[in-house]
Amino acid sequence: MNDMSPPGAISSYSVRDGIAVLAINSPPVNALGFPVRKALDEGIRRAVADSAASALVIRCDGRTFFAGADIAEFGGELKLPGLNDIFAVIEGSPKPVIAAIHGTALGGGCELALACHYRCALRSAKLGLPEVSLGLLPGAGGTQRTPRIAGVAMALDLIVGGRPISAAKAETAGMVDRIVDGDLEAEAVAYARQLVTEKAPLRRIRDMSVDLDLEAAQAAITTYRVAHSRQFKGFKAPGHIVQAIEAAVTLPFDQGLAREWELFEELMASTESGAQRHLFFAERAAGKVPDIGRDVKPVDIGSVTVIGAGTMGSGIATAFLNIGLPVTLVDREQQAVERGAANIRKTIAGMVAKGRIAEDEGGRRSALLSTSVDLPGAVSGADLIVEAVFEDLELKKAVFAQIDAAAKADAILASNTSFLDLDAIAAATSRPEQVVGLHFFVPANVMRLLEVVRGEKTSDVVVATGMALGRKLGKVAILSRVCDGFIANRAMAPRQAAADALILEGPLPWEVDRAMVEYGFPMGPFQMVDIVGVDVIGWDRENSAGRTVQEVLCEMGRWGQKKNGGYYDYDEERRAQPSPVAEKIVREMAAKTGADQHRFREPEIVERLLYPVVNEGAKILEEGVALRASDIDVALVTGYGWPVWTGGPMFWADSIGLPAIVAALDATIGADAVSPLLRKLAAEGGSLT
Ligand code: T1G
């Protein structure tokens, strides 16, 4: 008996060979929002009452089994039935309920599967409990059932790690009973029929006991906590997850479930989870360009030529090789191009050595690399040319003129410039509409941020192609208009300026760095300058005259980690120590300014350095350089390691309250320097995100 469900219905019910099949269809990922939960509840109860059905298979249409609760629902009132209510109906069923899994059974989807009596999955399917990446924990029994079926160690790895596992690995862990190929519904029905025929028990994970005694479980948990303490820093969820898993070991199931829900609600209400949920949607919003519709199809890129075999060029070439595109690496000198190619092959070999890719895959990628010192010849057949030469406008214009003369008519010409005027570069060609900025961050094959820079004349197709390339490269593509520094570098520049000014008022460079690391950055501004090179950013060698700490350091030949140390001294293992030389320079420079010297508490240092970043972000927004505030958050989180648990500068500013930030900026950088948009929003009780 089959339902004739109307097209587009959220669920369909049928009985095949005495087995009920409840199929849910809620694109794009069958998220377990209220309509889906209601349809599930009704369908399961119908199957339980249906005398024609001796078992029930639950499956999904579309690309995946339930990919979790509907994140968009969070923070609002939870309409019943909740997931635990539905799972109680499943576990109370007098007939076996079988989950038929394809795609990615994540979060609540994985929990639903664990509440079923049995589970079958397509070989290509994945299961996971990634709630930790949303600052949450599995709130529908995941922390209670997983330790029971898969053990404490696996539960910790799966839930605190948050990474999905293959169906095969899940089968090994006992989370999947049968792996199937081909027609999932037919295979699941056959499996259900077999279970009925064999009078298989109504096996409920809630009735199982955790495989470890309390002492062993505690030991496993302590070991995990110690091994992953860095990952726990700043985040609430990992610690809460461990507590929930402890409850699975120490409490009866229903009490453990209640404890899990308590911990879940604490996390749901936390700023950290709000920040991480903000970034989840922000990353997806970033890919949307409002004035470019889906009808604008990206160009298919089949080959890439990278010009410049230095650090950036080699990293960019590696990024494209990693997605299987053939790359020609070009430089003026044979020696330079060979050095670049050697670095690329070394990086790929490193990925093989670390087991991140198989040896044959490493070989395939390396084989896709070719080198040339003949620019015209190397660009003539390429679909995409990426220029990554020295940051000098005249040099870039000359290179683009050469590319323009040799590239095929529909080639896309991209510059990796980090702050030069893309429109001026485009003007050096006969095809400005085909010129775009692809600004990678060092190391280009690792950093997730890719700024796609839209010039005045860049065509929609080229913009769409740049954004699509970002996704294909596994990066987050953020669209930027042309300005000095685009989004990430421009927004973060005030942090360095504020840090340089602050060390003349009392704090030492390492005290400033420590405050930034405590806030959550991987390193502070002075540690960063020493690594990049004290001489690299903003030092005017010709006119240097000992007027700033940077000038004095550079004039002494203290150019950072690479040469004689900088703000820090380095031992032979490049371990950094605060430099007495630098301290003396700072103290003397501070004395010259006559500024009052005093100690700053860490929160004051955070305000002085980061509120100006919020201000610059507001200017980037009001000038239309960035499409939305959340793009600025994603750019700084993925490009500068801005701590995820704050949501990024704009979300963080909203969580502090814009009036307080504007008042502090008025007192430090002066009212005239404050973004009018920021002041307006603060006055109106508005928010940036
Ligand atoms: N809720 C709402 N919308 C979601 C969603 C979700 N869980 N997952 C994806 N979307 C939207 C997404 O915003 C985008 O929308 C579209 O679907 C395609 O997503 C109770 C509390 C499933 C691997 O964390 O990991 O269950 O931009 O671009 O690259 O214990 O989406 O098109 O309008 O990412 O193919 C746990 C999150 C939730 C999974 C697919 N589940 N999603 O990746 O597509 S909490 C998750 C993903 C929970 C329980 C707890 C990925 C994906 P739009 P996409 P994709």
Side-chain angles (χ1 to χ4, degrees):
M1 179 257 299
N2 293 309
D3 255 0
M4 294 310 286
S5 303
I10 203 166
S11 69
S12 66
Y13 181 92
S14 58
V15 178
R16 281 179 62 164
D17 192 17
I19 306 296
V21 178
L22 174 61
I24 298 293
N25 179 27
S26 180
V29 296
N30 292 306
L32 289 154
F34 170 65
V36 169
R37 294 198 305 275
K38 190 163 173 295
L40 269 170
D41 190 56
E42 289 165 359
I44 295 163
R45 292 176 188 279
R46 178 177 176 181
V48 167
D50 187 346
S51 58
S54 51
L56 167 63
V57 165
I58 298 176
R59 68 171 189 78
C60 286
D61 287 329
R63 57 170 148 166
T64 180
F65 194 72
F66 308 101
D70 183 344
I71 304 170
E73 270 187 358
F74 292 166
E77 172 233 348
L78 177 69
K79 288 170 79 175
L80 299 180
L83 289 175
N84 282 332
D85 304 321
I86 294 167
F87 299 173
V89 178
I90 292 173
E91 292 185 318
S93 163
K95 310 172 181 176
V97 181
I98 295 92
I101 300 168
H102 75 294
T104 49
L106 300 175
C110 182
E111 291 173 297
L112 185 149
L114 293 178
C116 293
H117 302 101
Y118 296 91
R119 289 155 291 283
C120 68
L122 279 184
R123 195 171 305 281
S124 56
K126 289 184 185 292
L127 290 85
L129 293 164
E131 289 86 338
V132 67
S133 60
L134 298 168
L136 297 171
L137 56 76
T143 66
Q144 306 303 303
R145 291 188 178 90
T146 311
R148 284 174 165 79
I149 188 76
V152 167
M154 176 70 164
L156 285 164
D157 229 13
L158 197 58
I159 304 172
V160 178
R163 281 175 299 283
I165 56 174
S166 66
K169 194 165 177 192
E171 184 187 39
T172 307
M175 295 171 69
V176 164
D177 300 293
R178 173 169 294 187
I179 289 187
V180 298
D181 296 300
D183 181 333
L184 178 61
E185 180 177 300
E187 291 293 338
V189 167
Y191 179 48
R193 170 118 308 283
Q194 178 191 333
L195 291 167
V196 169
T197 308
E198 292 170 357
K199 295 188 175 32
L202 293 174
R203 187 189 60 178
R204 307 188 316 170
I205 293 177
R206 56 168 293 142
D207 298 332
M208 299 176 188
S209 62
V210 181
D211 64 353
L212 291 172
D213 61 38
L214 181 56
E215 202 177 310
Q218 291 291 14
I221 287 167
T222 305
T223 307
Y224 193 90
R225 253 201 194 103
V226 169
H228 296 78
S229 57
R230 272 170 55 85
Q231 180 194 348
F232 283 33
K233 180 189 167 195
F235 293 99
K236 265 200 172 71
H240 276 49
I241 290 167
V242 172
Q243 288 182 59
I245 291 173
E246 273 172 340
V249 176
T250 56
L251 299 174
F253 184 83
D254 287 326
Q255 289 174 45
L257 208 58
R259 180 65 183 135
E260 175 191 78
W261 184 251
E262 268 172 31
L263 292 163
F264 176 79
E265 287 199 308
E266 281 176 24
L267 290 176
M268 181 63 83
S270 71
T271 309
E272 291 82 355
S273 180
Q276 291 176 260
R277 299 191 318 258
H278 160 71
L279 289 171
F280 173 86
F281 287 115
E283 281 200 16
R284 285 151 182 84
K288 296 179 173 72
V289 183
D291 66 336
I292 299 182
R294 289 181 187 276
D295 57 313
V296 178
K297 295 294 174 222
V299 171
D300 189 24
I301 301 297
S303 62
V304 183
T305 292
V306 176
I307 299 176
T311 305
M312 279 315 294
S314 304
I316 293 168
T318 307
F320 284 107
L321 293 170
N322 285 343
I323 61 170
L325 284 181
V327 176
T328 302
L329 183 67
V330 177
D331 208 301
R332 281 181 295 201
E333 309 290 332
Q334 188 59 33
Q335 192 186 12
V337 82
E338 281 170 9
R339 189 168 53 244
N343 287 339
I344 291 168
R345 293 194 176 99
K346 189 174 156 206
T347 302
I348 293 172
M351 292 165 75
V352 173
K354 289 178 199 142
R356 288 181 41 209
I357 57 173
E359 185 146 11
D360 59 347
E361 173 59 23
R364 268 194 297 277
R365 292 184 191 184
S366 297
L368 287 170
L369 175 65
S370 52
T371 60
S372 169
V373 291
D374 163 24
L375 188 150
V379 304
S380 59
D383 296 326
L384 169 69
I385 298 109
V386 183
E387 166 274 314
V389 301
F390 185 68
E391 278 297 274
D392 174 276
L393 186 56
E394 292 316 309
L395 173 61
K396 287 183 185 293
K397 287 164 71 173
V399 167
F400 268 80
Q402 281 186 281
I403 296 169
D404 188 32
K408 62 183 186 179
D410 59 352
I412 291 177
L413 284 50
S415 172
N416 172 60
T417 183
S418 53
F419 62 89
L420 294 176
D421 182 349
L422 184 81
D423 293 325
I425 294 170
T429 74
S430 61
R431 52 177 116 178
E433 69 284 353
Q434 285 163 249
V435 176
V436 68
L438 291 181
H439 179 216
F440 292 82
F441 284 72
V442 177
N445 53 308
V446 173
M447 294 299 281
R448 289 188 63 219
L449 176 59
L450 173 68
E451 287 180 330
V452 178
V453 184
R454 184 178 199 173
E456 275 310 306
K457 296 182 176 165
T458 306
S459 72
D460 289 355
V461 171
V462 171
V463 169
T465 303
M467 299 301 282
L469 265 179
R471 277 194 298 279
K472 281 192 190 122
L473 288 164
K475 296 181 180 292
V476 182
I478 301 286
L479 190 65
S480 174
R481 281 289 184 186
V482 174
C483 74
D484 186 348
F486 309 132
I487 295 173
N489 287 346
R490 174 176 164 186
M492 284 302 283
R495 183 183 80 158
Q496 189 60 55
D500 292 340
L502 195 63
I503 58 174
L504 303 182
E505 296 180 39
L508 289 166
W510 30 96
E511 292 168 346
V512 173
D513 284 344
R514 187 168 54 244
M516 287 291 100
V517 171
E518 276 311 301
Y519 174 80
F521 283 97
M523 66 176 76
F526 297 105
Q527 289 164 305
M528 202 169 191
V529 163
D530 264 15
I531 289 172
V532 171
V534 187
D535 61 316
V536 168
I537 301 172
W539 182 45
D540 177 356
R541 186 194 296 243
E542 279 65 48
N543 302 303
S544 191
R547 291 159 298 190
T548 64
V549 172
Q550 179 191 26
E551 287 191 353
V552 174
L553 285 170
C554 288
E555 288 158 25
M556 290 172 73
R558 287 182 65 90
W559 291 6
Q561 197 181 76
K562 67 185 177 187
K563 187 181 174 194
N564 304 325
Y567 291 92
Y568 294 83
D569 291 329
Y570 298 86
D571 64 20
E572 51 284 356
E573 272 87 55
R574 291 197 156 191
R575 284 187 297 250
Q577 288 296 333
S579 164
V581 172
E583 178 169 351
K584 185 169 177 294
I585 294 168
V586 168
R587 292 286 184 227
E588 285 168 359
M589 196 61 71
K592 275 186 202 163
T593 64
D596 290 345
Q597 303 293 300
H598 63 278
R599 295 193 67 73
F600 279 70
R601 291 179 303 104
E602 288 193 353
E604 292 175 287
I605 294 175
V606 168
E607 284 184 22
R608 282 290 294 273
L609 263 65
L610 301 186
Y611 283 8
V613 174
V614 172
N615 188 50
E616 197 64 33
K619 290 180 178 175
I620 287 168
L621 197 54
E622 66 194 355
E623 292 169 21
V625 172
L627 284 171
R628 49 186 82 83
S630 61
D631 281 5
I632 299 166
D633 286 338
V634 173
L636 266 55
V637 165
T638 57
Y640 271 84
W642 191 291
V644 162
W645 59 85
T646 68
M650 313 310 265
F651 185 90
W652 175 67
D654 286 340
S655 66
I656 288 170
L658 301 187
I661 293 180
V662 168
L665 288 168
D666 283 342
T668 50
I669 65 173
D672 293 347
V674 176
S675 146
L677 171 65
L678 192 60
R679 190 177 299 283
K680 178 172 176 288
L681 289 172
E684 294 169 354
S687 63
L688 287 160
T689 58

